[in-house]
Amino acid sequence: MAEFTKVTTVDKLPPGRGASVRIGATDVAVFNVGGVFHAIDGVCPHQGGLLGLGRLSGCVVKCPEHGMRFDVTTGTSPGAPPGGGLACKVFEVKVEGDDVMVSV
Ligand code: FES
């Protein structure tokens, strides 16, 4: 059974914003896309940029280091061929009351 950890609250992460958080030793990037929360691996698979600090446009975050883009709902790179390109792990998210919780 998945174990969820509170990472933030709904009011602290408004739509269009992201945050970089840690769950144990795991860096996680959590995003609010139009009121729906998503979480992906917080470390860019290119060279380790913190994706939670990147700019979110729609459901796509731009890595603050070299600008690679990732769809935060799928972890994939928009425009990459099927099965190609770098991708991020996607984590399960749930909201309980005001708490945003992630399972890694
Ligand atoms: S570290 Fe993210 S694009 Fe290079």
Side-chain angles (χ1 to χ4, degrees), residues 53-93:
L53 304 182
R55 185 184 184 98
L56 186 65
S57 178
C59 64
V60 175
V61 64
K62 184 176 177 183
C63 178
E65 295 298 327
H66 312 104
M68 284 193 71
R69 297 181 307 128
F70 298 94
D71 185 324
V72 304
T73 68
T74 64
T76 59
S77 296
L86 295 173
C88 300
K89 189 170 182 179
V90 176
F91 299 119
E92 195 175 348
V93 181

Side-chain angles (χ1 to χ4, degrees), residues 40-51:
I40 60 174
D41 191 349
V43 178
C44 179
H46 178 229
Q47 288 183 2
L50 288 177
L51 293 174

Side-chain angles (χ1 to χ4, degrees), residues 2 23 31-32 36 38 61 63-64 80 85 91-92 103:
I23 300 176
F31 302 95
N32 182 338
V36 179
H38 299 273
V61 64
C63 178
F91 299 119
E92 195 175 348
S103 174

